[in-house]
Amino acid sequence: MNKVLDKNEIEMLVRRYLKETGVSLAKRAAKREYIVAANWKMNMTEKETKKFLKELKETDIADNIRVMIFPPYPYLYIFKEMLRYEKIAYGAQDVAKEEQGAYTGEVSAAMLGDMGCPLTLVGHSERRSYYGDTSEIVAKKAKAALEHQISPMICIGETLEEREGHRYQEVLKEQLDAVYAGLGSRISGCLIAYEPVWAIGTGVIPTLEQISETHKYIYQVLRSYGVAGEEIRILYGGSVNAGNVKEIGSVRHVDGFLIGGASLKAESFKHIIRLASEV
Ligand code: PEP
């Protein structure tokens, strides 16, 4: 006779399912799934979030596409409830570098892991420039996440001054080296988002040559750490929209997108998902 599970046992199974989904995200991504990720930043309301997810759940998502959404912390629970068995992954926009304790306002990786959250962003340029997240802090945050089976998406990128001063490779390498120093071979469990700071929210897009050359460079740096080619996933972020997604997506070593502004309206995000599946 089948045993009837009590509420705690069901909760435990669901948590295990969500954790396993999270652990395997980077591995699954290695199967050349194309990632379309949304960074909502400090936008959306509870009502808008529910409406957005309802619409997204009703959409057919092609097999080669993996959708990820990074909402504000208070809405993560909605994702947990509404996306239980969906192909859409979600994550936090940041995580504390400390394990626990007197750090008012912080949210630990253990807490995110507890609620079954499979992903987190770290090192977004807004965190680096407004909140002083250095590359060493970013590395510690990524390490904390991995210790709780949360896959970090590590954002890197140069400023306009660094690009124009031809120092962007140096800057990107410094950002990656710091993560490698903190994680060693576990860097292969991270997703990388290349986001030139000058392209974020500005409508300015690097040329396809610049994207191609920079993604190739990041790929080579990761390879120099011993990361296997098939494990490397480099997303492009910065003013991506329905008008440029196919062009950028066709560039070698662009494995997906991290999208801010154009991810806030379900219609526009769904359109981008559809176009990305045709790349
Ligand atoms: C971002 O902030 O991660 C981002 C890519 O923003 P936008 O698409 O609005 O440039």
Side-chain angles (χ1 to χ4, degrees):
M1 203 172 72
N2 286 340
K3 180 177 178 273
V4 178
L5 300 178
D6 68 24
K7 194 168 156 279
N8 288 341
E9 287 169 318
I10 294 170
E11 184 65 19
M12 207 182 72
L13 283 176
V14 170
R15 276 185 200 207
R16 195 183 307 152
Y17 166 81
L18 288 167
K19 273 206 167 148
E20 280 165 9
T21 318
V23 181
S24 60
L25 273 179
K27 279 200 201 119
R28 274 208 250 130
K31 278 202 268 159
R32 291 286 146 203
E33 273 176 338
Y34 212 83
I35 298 169
V36 182
N39 173 14
W40 282 2
K41 312 190 185 194
M42 203 169 71
N43 292 298
M44 305 292 258
T45 62
E46 185 182 56
K47 198 169 158 200
E48 286 165 346
T49 300
K50 287 182 176 164
K51 187 167 172 285
F52 187 109
L53 288 189
K54 191 169 175 294
E55 268 189 62
L56 197 58
K57 278 172 67 168
E58 284 159 6
T59 309
D60 270 345
I61 298 175
D63 281 349
N64 64 330
I65 299 292
R66 173 146 297 270
V67 175
M68 300 177 175
I69 304 178
F70 297 91
Y73 284 127
Y75 306 143
L76 282 171
Y77 86 93
I78 303 173
F79 284 70
K80 179 177 173 175
E81 280 173 9
M82 288 183 69
L83 299 180
R84 222 152 248 215
Y85 301 104
E86 299 291 328
K87 204 192 151 196
I88 304 159
Y90 60 92
Q93 293 176 15
D94 193 33
V95 65
K97 63 183 188 309
E98 294 84 9
E99 186 63 27
Q100 69 165 93
Y103 301 103
T104 304
E106 291 287 90
V107 174
S108 74
M111 292 166 185
L112 293 175
D114 240 6
M115 71 167 296
C117 178
L119 291 161
T120 185
L121 290 179
V122 288
H124 190 279
S125 71
E126 286 150 18
R127 301 287 330 167
R128 291 182 193 256
S129 63
Y130 305 150
Y131 303 100
D133 281 11
T134 61
S135 294
E136 288 67 33
I137 291 175
V138 172
K140 285 184 183 160
K141 290 182 170 186
K143 191 166 179 212
L146 283 169
E147 268 155 23
H148 291 275
Q149 290 78 48
I150 297 166
S151 306
M153 184 182 289
I154 299 168
C155 305
I156 58 171
E158 81 284 356
T159 62
L160 186 58
E161 202 190 342
E162 289 158 349
R163 166 64 61 172
E164 289 178 344
H166 303 285
R167 288 191 292 115
Y168 61 96
Q169 291 195 346
E170 198 184 305
V171 170
L172 296 172
K173 180 142 171 35
E174 177 273 323
Q175 293 174 346
L176 287 168
D177 278 352
V179 177
Y180 181 57
L183 298 184
S185 62
R186 284 196 291 167
I187 197 170
S188 63
C190 303
L191 300 158
I192 306 294
Y194 168 57
E195 299 206 299
V197 180
W198 47 281
I200 295 179
T202 58
V204 179
I205 294 268
T207 63
L208 295 185
E209 289 70 30
Q210 285 174 320
I211 295 176
S212 166
E213 190 262 338
T214 311
H215 276 239
K216 185 173 170 203
Y217 176 72
I218 294 167
Y219 180 88
Q220 285 167 343
V221 172
L222 293 167
R223 289 288 287 134
S224 75
Y225 301 148
V227 183
E230 63 275 13
E231 283 182 327
I232 296 175
R233 306 295 288 161
I234 309 164
L235 282 68
Y236 169 79
S239 296
V240 172
N241 58 45
N244 55 34
V245 69
K246 281 181 96 166
E247 229 182 25
I248 300 174
S250 63
V251 174
R252 185 144 187 252
H253 298 308
V254 172
D255 303 305
F257 303 99
L258 181 55
I259 308 163
S263 74
L264 293 173
K265 293 266 177 289
E267 207 42 59
S268 130
F269 191 53
K270 283 186 330 191
H271 192 192
I272 292 175
I273 292 172
R274 226 176 6 258
L275 291 168
S277 72
E278 294 163 11
V279 170

